[in-house]
Amino acid sequence: MSAPAAKVSQKELNSNHDGTDEISDKEQQEAIEHIDEVQNEIDRLNEQASEEILKVEQKYNKLRQPFFQKRSELIAKIPNFWVTTFVNHPQVSALLGEEDEEALHYLTRVEVTEFEDIKSGYRIDFYFDENPYFENKMLSKEFHLNESGDPSSKSSEIKWKSGKDLTKRSSQTQNKASRKRQHEEPESFFTWFTDHSDAGADELGEVIKDDIWPNPLQYYLVPDMDDEEGEGEEDDDDEEEGGLEDVDEEGDEDEGEDDEEDDEGEGEEDEGEDD
């Protein structure tokens, strides 16, 4: 059994490797104070960098606006662009029920506006055509920091048409079918407009602002998996039909060869009788 390791004294820790005397308490204190001074300079530079980065973001945010406007005009020419984009996005599609998708077919434009100082918040606007669900032409949700610096949010009040409140319908449907249904429908997408419980960590708002809004086309162009599966099945069917045709052709050739052999056999028999 090996002997226990000897404890290293503070004096030994403070000594240099070359065996010189340990650093005095006064020298240690002076080193700590100098480190603190250097760290303060680093922090000051970090703050300065943040201010410079913010100015650059503000500059380019303004430069992007005409392009966002042009993109919105072009998107307006494509039917069902935004509902397709949302359905193709994995996180957003998980929040959509069937009736939500129907309502979002009337969505014609989405706009994300960051406040001028950027850090204080942003707003998402949804523009709708006349539809059978609600009276609003525009729904918006806004995220900002209040006077105390805490995040908060506010949104449009949805003016539902009679019997068309999808948020209530979703809740009632889940309550009635909860004991029997195997697959639970998500809460209505539109409940997001009334949920202000955690504005600082609003997942849907952040996904739309940071993921979808910068380049919605990438999600609009995501191929439909059902279509791909359908094409794959058609290819398999074509291959199977081709294989059957090959078998039939081989069978026909074999039958032809058998007929020729039979004819030759009959011819030899006739010659034998004549002899």
Side-chain angles (χ1 to χ4, degrees):
M1 183 173 179
S2 60
K7 292 184 179 180
V8 180
S9 68
Q10 184 66 35
K11 180 178 180 180
E12 291 173 322
L13 285 174
N14 291 340
S15 66
N16 296 326
H17 294 295
D18 59 3
T20 58
D21 293 339
E22 70 274 12
I23 300 174
S24 67
D25 292 342
K26 181 180 179 181
E27 289 174 323
Q28 285 190 46
Q29 186 60 37
E30 288 177 353
I32 291 172
E33 290 174 358
H34 287 311
I35 292 172
D36 187 52
E37 290 173 2
V38 173
Q39 189 62 52
N40 288 335
E41 288 298 317
I42 294 172
D43 293 341
R44 185 182 64 79
L45 286 173
N46 287 340
E47 291 178 6
Q48 185 178 343
S50 298
E51 293 174 0
E52 295 295 328
I53 291 169
L54 181 58
K55 290 177 182 178
V56 172
E57 289 179 350
Q58 290 172 332
K59 173 185 175 181
Y60 283 93
N61 191 39
K62 290 180 180 179
L63 291 175
R64 283 191 291 262
Q65 296 311 308
F67 296 96
F68 285 147
Q69 180 62 33
K70 180 64 176 177
R71 188 182 68 184
S72 292
E73 293 171 1
L74 294 170
I75 287 175
K77 299 178 180 181
I78 303 175
N80 300 322
F81 179 92
W82 284 108
V83 66
T84 303
T85 298
F86 286 165
V87 168
N88 285 344
H89 191 285
Q91 289 171 273
V92 179
S93 63
L95 305 175
L96 299 177
E98 291 184 9
E99 287 190 294
D100 291 330
E101 289 186 32
E102 290 297 322
L104 289 175
H105 275 83
Y106 297 92
L107 178 62
T108 59
R109 194 165 91 233
V110 173
E111 289 184 357
V112 175
T113 304
E114 292 189 271
F115 299 152
E116 188 172 353
D117 62 355
I118 295 179
K119 293 190 296 183
S120 64
Y122 63 95
R123 186 180 71 251
I124 306 176
D125 298 322
F126 302 79
Y127 295 83
F128 291 86
D129 276 340
E130 179 70 27
N131 65 81
Y133 295 95
F134 44 79
E135 302 288 348
N136 310 66
K137 298 296 183 184
M138 183 186 76
L139 297 175
S140 65
K141 189 167 184 178
E142 182 177 306
F143 302 86
H144 56 90
L145 298 177
N146 57 29
E147 294 178 356
S148 62
D150 296 324
S152 61
S153 63
K154 61 181 181 180
S155 58
S156 306
E157 179 184 355
I158 304 177
K159 299 176 181 178
W160 295 102
K161 294 183 178 180
S162 179
K164 294 293 186 177
D165 188 338
L166 299 182
T167 61
K168 292 181 178 178
R169 188 177 302 178
S170 173
S171 175
Q172 291 171 354
T173 302
Q174 288 183 17
N175 289 338
K176 290 179 181 178
S178 59
R179 287 173 294 184
K180 296 182 179 179
R181 88 198 282 172
Q182 297 176 350
H183 174 69
E184 183 174 325
E185 282 278 321
E187 284 190 353
S188 173
F189 168 84
F190 293 93
T191 59
W192 176 66
F193 289 94
T194 61
D195 182 8
H196 305 289
S197 58
D198 193 2
D202 191 295
E203 184 178 358
L204 180 55
E206 291 173 0
V207 164
I208 294 173
K209 178 177 75 77
D210 297 329
D211 192 15
I212 295 177
W213 176 248
N215 185 8
L217 188 63
Q218 65 179 324
Y219 292 107
Y220 175 79
L221 294 177
V222 170
D224 191 323
M225 297 306 293
D226 292 336
D227 291 345
E228 285 191 345
E229 291 175 2
E231 290 174 3
E233 291 173 359
E234 289 177 3
D235 292 341
D236 293 341
D237 293 341
D238 291 341
E239 289 177 4
E240 290 177 2
E241 290 175 1
L244 291 173
E245 288 175 1
D246 292 341
V247 171
D248 291 341
E249 289 174 1
E250 291 174 1
D252 292 341
E253 290 175 0
D254 293 341
E255 289 177 1
E257 291 174 359
D258 292 341
D259 292 341
E260 289 177 1
E261 291 175 359
D262 292 341
D263 292 342
E264 289 175 0
E266 290 176 359
E268 291 175 356
E269 289 177 1
D270 291 342
E271 288 176 0
E273 290 175 359
D274 291 341
D275 294 342

